[in-house]
Every structure is written in C-alpha cells, then in structure tokens.
Amino acid sequence: MRKSTPAPKKKMLEEYRRKRDFDVTPEPSGRPNSRNGPKAKLLYVIQKHQASHLHYDFRLEWRGVLLSWAIPKGPSLDPSVKRLAVQVEDHPIEYGSFEGVIPEGEYGAGTVMVWDKGMWLPEVSDVDAALAKGELKFQLFGNKLRGSWVLVRTRLNRSGKSQWLLIKHRDEYATSEDVEAAMPQSAASRRLMADIARAGRGDVTKAAKADPAGTPAR
Ligand code: MN
C-alpha cells in the first residue's frame, strides 16, 4: 500500500545502513559522525547584544538547535586570555540570522548584531560526551574567528546555568589583537550597532556606545 507521505529520511538511511557492512564496502555510511568528523555543516554564530549589559552570544549548532553561551567581554584571540561564557538556553537554528532590535519591555530588549558567522567543526569524536564532561574542543570557520578553541566548564550555577571559559588555542590565528575593536561591523550586513538600532527604531545612543569610538558609520 502506498503511503501519502514519504518515509522520513532517517528511516530510509537506517535501511540503507542495515543492508551494508561499512567495514567492507567503500560506500558512504551517511553517518553524521564518522571517524573523519561530521559531514554535515554545523552553523556557528556570535551575536553582539546590547541589552541591559553588552555581551556576545556565542552559538554552536548541535542536534537541531543552537547551543548558546553569553560572553560578557566577547571572545579573545589571545590564548592567555580566558573569557567567561555563561551557558544559556538552547536557541532555534533560525535565530542565528536574527539581526535587529528587540523592543523595550521584551526579554533581552536592545540591539542585536550578527557579529560573526560561519561553521564549526568538533575536534572530538563524541560531542555529547565532551559537553557532558565539560570540555569541548572545536575549530571555527567564521569571518572573524578562526582556528582552534576550547570551551571548559568551571562550575554549575544554582540556577542550572553553567559557567564555562572560552579559550583560544595556540595556532596561526592566535593574536593579541583586540578583535572586537578591530572588526566591529556586522558579518551579515556590515552595519554598526548604531546603524542597526536606527533601522529598527531602537535606542541609537545606547547602541552607539557598543561601537568602538571613532568607527565611521556605514
Ligand atoms: Mn543575549
């Protein structure tokens, strides 16, 4: 009997895999986590967020959501600098392209910029185990951030929000340059915070304080 809806892709792959021995056949297994790492592209994004306090929301796509950390001082390219990253609730994937103004009175009211975006690649074979252990090593392929990084959990808050540290590993992308000051424009629109606030009828004066002094408007 014909079904009106096609079988889910996952189920079709299960059958595909059941019929094959990938230790023997050179055919692809189609597994997202093979020994060579994930084949799927995983989204990475940092949103600069001028809410009650300026912070940078660091997000990594995993299992259909964006794992999220709020980093008050933003990332540092200097391996000797450890930046506090407070884990917050998972966000939907679509959130990664949001740039605009969250209205006054709403949660997180203020200006949001897509400060950096690209892909990430785990450096571990088991991301879930690494997250549970509290040490996730990965590579970033963004417009601004690149190379090898680690998130290390330091403690759990009473609220259940855990504190982590984001640290740059030593590689060719490590530098003492202040990346927030050097590259303040949106990775999505090239706009500054003030530009985004103005377009979204937000608080331009407050947003402008998050732009480095003397940065020319677009
Ligand atoms: Mn935020």
Side-chain angles (χ1 to χ4, degrees):
M1 194 181 111
R2 252 190 168 177
K3 284 182 179 177
S4 55
T5 52
K9 210 170 193 174
K10 192 183 175 190
K11 202 162 191 179
M12 290 163 66
L13 277 180
E14 279 173 7
E15 185 181 345
Y16 173 86
R17 290 174 192 140
R18 192 171 63 242
K19 290 177 176 172
R20 292 166 175 81
D21 180 354
F22 296 107
D23 288 337
V24 180
T25 179
E27 295 169 289
S29 66
R31 296 173 72 98
N33 283 301
S34 72
R35 258 188 308 174
N36 295 328
K39 296 292 180 284
K41 289 180 177 179
L42 295 167
L43 175 69
Y44 141 72
V45 63
I46 293 179
Q47 281 155 318
K48 186 174 181 177
H49 186 184
Q50 175 66 286
S52 50
H53 298 282
L54 175 65
H55 60 274
Y56 292 74
D57 289 303
F58 182 81
R59 308 192 197 278
L60 299 177
E61 176 183 358
W62 187 245
R63 297 196 178 280
V65 297
L66 292 173
L67 305 178
S68 298
W69 290 262
I71 306 179
K73 292 185 176 178
S76 173
L77 300 178
D78 184 341
S80 69
V81 176
K82 299 170 173 136
R83 287 286 160 84
L84 172 66
V86 180
Q87 189 166 16
V88 298
E89 76 275 18
D90 299 342
H91 279 53
I93 300 289
E94 309 87 271
Y95 200 90
S97 55
F98 174 73
E99 182 172 271
V101 173
I102 301 170
E104 283 302 317
E106 297 300 307
Y107 182 76
T111 303
V112 178
M113 168 196 283
V114 177
W115 183 78
D116 196 20
K117 62 174 182 172
M119 295 182 308
W120 76 281
L121 192 65
E123 288 183 352
V124 294
S125 57
D126 188 336
V127 171
D128 294 307
L131 288 166
K133 186 184 162 203
E135 185 175 335
L136 178 64
K137 293 175 180 173
F138 53 93
Q139 289 183 38
L140 295 179
F141 302 86
N143 292 0
K144 297 175 184 176
L145 302 193
R146 296 195 152 250
S148 180
W149 297 73
V150 64
L151 272 166
V152 184
R153 189 170 57 221
T154 54
R155 66 184 171 100
L156 277 164
N157 282 358
R158 282 169 190 269
S159 63
K161 289 180 178 176
S162 46
Q163 291 192 5
W164 300 63
L165 295 171
L166 177 67
I167 309 164
K168 181 80 195 75
H169 281 143
R170 294 191 187 279
D171 60 20
E172 66 267 41
Y173 299 106
T175 170
S176 57
E177 179 188 44
D178 181 348
V179 65
E180 286 86 8
M183 293 186 271
Q185 283 92 358
S186 165
S189 67
R190 313 309 304 162
R191 294 182 297 177
L192 291 169
M193 294 292 278
D195 301 321
I196 295 163
R198 192 175 299 109
R201 297 168 184 260
D203 189 333
V204 178
T205 307
K206 187 179 174 186
K209 288 175 184 165
D211 292 319
T215 311
R218 194 173 63 114

